[in-house]
Amino acid sequence: MNYTKGISSELEDLIYLEDVEASILFRIDGNVVESCFNENYSQELLRTVQWCKANVEKVSLEMRSNNLNKVTYELNDFCVLFFVVNNVSILTTLANQNVNLSLLSIEAKRKSQIIASYL
Amino acid sequence: MQITAGTTSHRSIKQATNAIIRDVIGEINGTPEFLIVGFTPNYQSKRDYENALAKICEESGTKNIIGGIFPGVATSNGLPTTQGCSVMGFKGDEVQIQPPFDYTNVRINPKKGAQKIRKAYESTTKSSKLGFFLTPGPFYQTNAFEQLKVLDTFFAKKFKKMFNLIGRMINRSMGKNGYGSTLFADTILRTLVEGGIKNALGGATIDLDMKYCYQFSGDSVFQNALVGTVFSSDKLSFNNNWTFDKSQHSRDFFLTEFLKSSGYVQKINKKPANEAFLELIDISRDLYDEAFGKLSYASLLYLSALENEYEDYVPFVSVCHPILDGVIATIPEKTLSSNNIKTDFFTQSGTGIQKSALECANNLTNGMTDIRFGIFINCSNRLLIAGDKIDKENKLIEQAVGEDVPFITLYSGGEFSLINQKPIYSAVSIHGFVAGEPTIDTKNVVF
């Protein structure tokens, strides 16, 4: 399996979890490496993704300076979960507000480590 | 003895099954003698689990399998997953593992389920023995609380002498096929004690939405069954133990009125239990509902612990639903023996539960060397408390049992142990067992 296909499969796994709307692997400069969306995504979701894209650099700097592995935001009725993959990539998972964040963070952490092994 | 373990995750149960067959069964040289299989509940369909088990049976060449669904599963060599499976495979003659047994009516007749365990336990004559069993977990019909409201407001108040009868009705109404909670496990443990069984470890399968839960035996998938086996050995000894996070003891209170047979508490400190409970934990109704509404209103962070004839503190979960005046507590009937029961509150924390996992694993390794494997039943509530830090618990267990020792952790809906004939039925706790060589005491000899 080539690495793009592998990463894409891991991102797709995440959107099969209950209440997850999208999973995106960002480079810290805001470029998207891979992404996966639920079939019926909304304008609000796209607006939140846009916010992630614009802020991922700032978020990653913040995470690095505070030695954080995970950061969660709540905005536009979505929960946004950032997980450090490696020095240059961040796994971002967007879910609706009903999501069980504890369970989601367990799987997102696992996925971030698997994705790191592909890069 | 050859023992392999592995964890895999995938959105498709077929892919997850293929990967686990490659990683665990493929690693065993020949046919494994026994497999413990834990799947997560996200695949939902009973047929999917049946197909997965059929594939595992076909590829492994054995039907000696027990397992079930758990919100999280993990092994010593893999991060916990909430979307996949963990398997542990055994081959070798150091430990004998009995062919699996099952009993499909355990919610209604737990004593009969206990007889199955007893029969398997007594069929081996080896010096070390431990029963291992999995049961159905908490299960509620969608309108269970509404039914309970009628019983609570009318019958329980009008006909006080009928409390215990009503309690049984309440309990029946909470689950489709008998007890909706896992209180029946306490009956199993006490029946085993009466039967002279010394050691056992068990856990309840669960889907956190509490809509269904499955148990596996061979290639069969059950919905309300007890499945189990017995580990025995002449060469190795088995240690089993349990603990919970006791680090933050907040305050004491008294259960002053309750229905014994259902664990339904009507009054705490002589006040309506629902109101008194929220006062005790110092949380507003809105905040409580926001925090625990998605989890059947079960207060996972606040554990009430009661003394019983075997232990100082045995923790139980309380369900504080807004439509009820009382509080449902997972306290077994036998524990509610007097009229005014002193109870202690413990607040759970991420670091506290990690420390308790280490404490449990350290206790297990006492008097033991060269540990071969371990099995841990860890409450799924702890999974929710710790979130992505849950893997630290397994790291600490590894630290205690040894780096290369394979173990499996199943995050359950109820944990139970029989430790030297002491029954422990508890919540938000970790129970475990390890197999290893007993340490031989060497005394200094002066010639």
Side-chain angles (χ1 to χ4, degrees):
Chain A
M1 190 188 287
N2 67 42
Y3 91 98
T4 319
K5 214 172 159 188
I7 292 170
S8 171
S9 176
E10 301 302 335
L11 295 180
E12 202 176 339
D13 277 355
L14 282 172
I15 65 157
Y16 271 75
L17 293 172
E18 212 177 337
D19 300 315
V20 174
E21 304 282 346
S23 56
I24 304 160
L25 182 67
F26 279 111
R27 239 172 35 199
I28 55 170
D29 59 7
N31 281 327
V32 175
V33 180
E34 279 293 331
S35 65
C36 203
F37 285 77
N38 242 335
E39 274 177 19
N40 303 314
Y41 54 84
S42 60
Q43 283 298 319
E44 282 75 31
L45 180 75
L46 291 182
R47 216 176 313 138
T48 314
V49 171
Q50 198 57 41
W51 179 89
C52 294
K53 193 171 159 57
N55 288 283
V56 69
E57 188 172 3
K58 214 189 292 176
V59 172
S60 68
L61 271 174
E62 196 70 19
M63 288 170 89
R64 197 177 298 175
S65 59
N66 291 300
N67 201 21
L68 302 171
N69 213 23
K70 176 191 76 177
V71 169
T72 311
Y73 289 86
E74 274 188 38
L75 71 160
N76 302 337
D77 291 334
F78 290 101
C79 292
V80 183
L81 193 66
F82 290 100
F83 249 107
V84 171
V85 173
N86 61 17
N87 284 341
V88 290
S89 327
I90 287 206
L91 172 65
T92 309
T93 312
L94 292 96
N96 69 44
Q97 286 197 327
N98 295 324
V99 73
N100 186 322
L101 269 176
S102 299
L103 293 185
L104 175 61
S105 65
I106 291 167
E107 205 53 37
K109 183 176 190 174
R110 187 179 162 85
K111 292 300 177 197
S112 68
Q113 295 199 4
I114 295 172
I115 290 169
S117 71
Y118 283 119
L119 295 171
Chain B
M1 182 161 199
Q2 211 185 346
I3 296 158
T4 56
T7 299
T8 185
S9 59
H10 202 277
R11 60 192 174 276
S12 147
I13 192 168
K14 270 190 190 170
Q15 298 283 348
T17 307
N18 288 339
I20 207 75
I21 288 169
R22 183 192 62 219
D23 295 350
V24 178
I25 296 159
E27 282 295 303
I28 286 187
N29 190 15
T31 304
E33 276 150 25
F34 205 93
L35 296 168
I36 295 174
V37 177
F39 269 100
T40 54
N42 53 295
Y43 306 113
Q44 294 181 359
S45 144
K46 192 175 174 209
R47 171 70 64 194
D48 281 347
Y49 292 108
E50 282 168 348
N51 291 341
L53 285 175
K55 180 82 177 164
I56 292 172
C57 285
E58 185 192 328
E59 295 292 331
S60 66
T62 182
K63 280 197 172 185
N64 288 338
I65 296 173
I66 63 163
I69 62 163
F70 302 91
V73 287
T75 44
S76 44
N77 54 355
L79 279 177
T81 182
T82 59
Q83 187 191 39
C85 71
S86 287
V87 172
M88 193 172 207
F90 301 84
K91 187 176 193 280
D93 51 12
E94 276 186 331
V95 175
Q96 189 189 331
I97 310 172
Q98 300 273 338
F101 55 80
D102 53 74
Y103 175 62
T104 53
N105 212 16
V106 69
R107 282 193 197 273
I108 303 284
N109 197 344
K111 286 191 177 176
K112 224 170 168 182
Q115 294 310 329
K116 288 262 181 181
I117 303 170
R118 189 179 161 185
K119 206 174 154 193
Y121 196 91
E122 285 171 350
S123 68
T124 173
T125 53
K126 294 191 184 291
S127 55
S128 303
K129 290 195 263 188
L130 183 132
F132 177 62
F133 63 100
L134 300 170
T135 69
F139 171 85
Y140 296 115
Q141 284 176 301
T142 42
N143 60 349
F145 290 111
E146 281 75 12
Q147 288 180 29
L148 185 57
K149 171 79 179 163
V150 179
L151 295 164
D152 174 43
T153 52
F154 185 70
F155 292 102
K157 289 190 173 64
K158 292 269 180 197
F159 306 104
K160 288 208 169 189
K161 284 183 184 166
M162 289 171 69
F163 264 14
N164 285 328
L165 183 64
I166 292 160
R168 282 191 189 95
M169 284 166 68
I170 291 172
N171 228 331
R172 296 268 157 149
S173 74
M174 296 299 285
K176 200 176 173 186
N177 294 307
Y179 299 103
S181 69
T182 50
L183 288 174
F184 61 84
D186 189 62
T187 311
I188 293 177
L189 294 176
R190 287 172 191 269
T191 311
L192 291 177
V193 173
E194 284 163 19
I197 310 301
K198 278 190 173 169
N199 292 301
L201 170 70
T205 57
I206 183 176
D207 155 41
L208 285 176
D209 290 336
M210 298 189 199
K211 288 176 189 154
Y212 56 88
C213 55
Y214 301 127
Q215 307 79 43
F216 312 147
S217 175
D219 56 3
S220 303
V221 176
F222 301 105
Q223 239 180 325
N224 279 297
L226 172 140
V227 297
T229 184
V230 172
F231 290 84
S232 60
S233 178
D234 278 330
K235 188 182 175 198
L236 302 180
S237 70
F238 304 147
N239 273 359
N240 65 328
N241 216 310
W242 82 289
T243 190
F244 75 105
D245 175 13
K246 292 183 274 246
S247 58
Q248 295 181 69
H249 182 199
S250 44
R251 61 184 88 182
D252 306 342
F253 60 95
F254 283 90
L255 303 183
T256 40
E257 211 171 287
F258 43 80
L259 305 179
K260 265 189 194 181
S261 53
S262 64
Y264 184 64
V265 180
Q266 293 192 300
K267 288 197 176 164
I268 291 173
N269 292 342
K270 296 182 179 168
K271 284 185 183 172
N274 191 313
E275 188 192 321
F277 183 80
L278 293 174
E279 257 175 42
L280 278 164
I281 61 174
D282 198 16
I283 278 187
S284 69
R285 181 79 249 176
D286 289 349
L287 199 59
Y288 184 89
D289 293 351
E290 194 186 328
F292 304 116
K294 286 181 208 160
L295 302 157
S296 291
Y297 297 88
S299 60
L300 307 178
L301 296 177
Y302 308 97
L303 280 187
S304 41
L306 271 67
E307 193 181 334
N308 69 14
E309 65 263 49
Y310 303 101
E311 288 281 305
D312 291 342
Y313 298 117
V314 185
F316 303 105
V317 168
S318 304
V319 174
C320 186
H321 196 279
I323 72 166
L324 302 174
D325 294 332
V327 166
I328 302 164
T330 60
I331 306 169
E333 194 170 344
K334 297 269 180 192
T335 308
L336 292 170
S337 50
S338 63
N339 289 328
N340 208 15
I341 297 176
K342 184 176 161 280
T343 310
D344 295 76
F345 247 140
F346 291 92
T347 309
Q348 304 293 287
S349 71
T351 47
I353 62 169
Q354 281 167 25
K355 281 180 193 159
S356 68
L358 180 63
E359 183 193 333
C360 180
N362 278 333
N363 288 340
L364 286 173
T365 56
N366 278 344
M368 204 172 264
T369 178
D370 201 4
I371 291 163
R372 304 294 202 276
F373 69 92
I375 298 175
F376 292 87
I377 306 288
N378 198 339
C379 182
S380 53
N381 290 347
R382 291 161 66 102
L383 200 70
L384 300 173
I385 294 165
D388 61 293
K389 305 284 184 295
I390 194 73
D391 58 308
K392 288 194 176 170
E393 269 195 60
N394 288 335
K395 287 258 169 0
L396 292 169
I397 291 173
E398 186 181 296
Q399 192 184 308
V401 298
E403 253 188 35
D404 299 322
V405 174
F407 64 83
I408 188 167
T409 307
L410 305 171
Y411 295 90
S412 68
E415 309 79 59
F416 358 104
S417 283
L418 202 58
I419 304 166
N420 290 326
Q421 287 214 300
K422 183 176 74 174
I424 307 292
Y425 164 82
S426 60
V428 197
S429 52
I430 179 167
H431 292 227
F433 123 76
V434 297
E437 287 187 29
T439 316
I440 299 158
D441 285 336
T442 49
K443 289 180 183 161
N444 291 331
V445 180
V446 181
F447 292 100

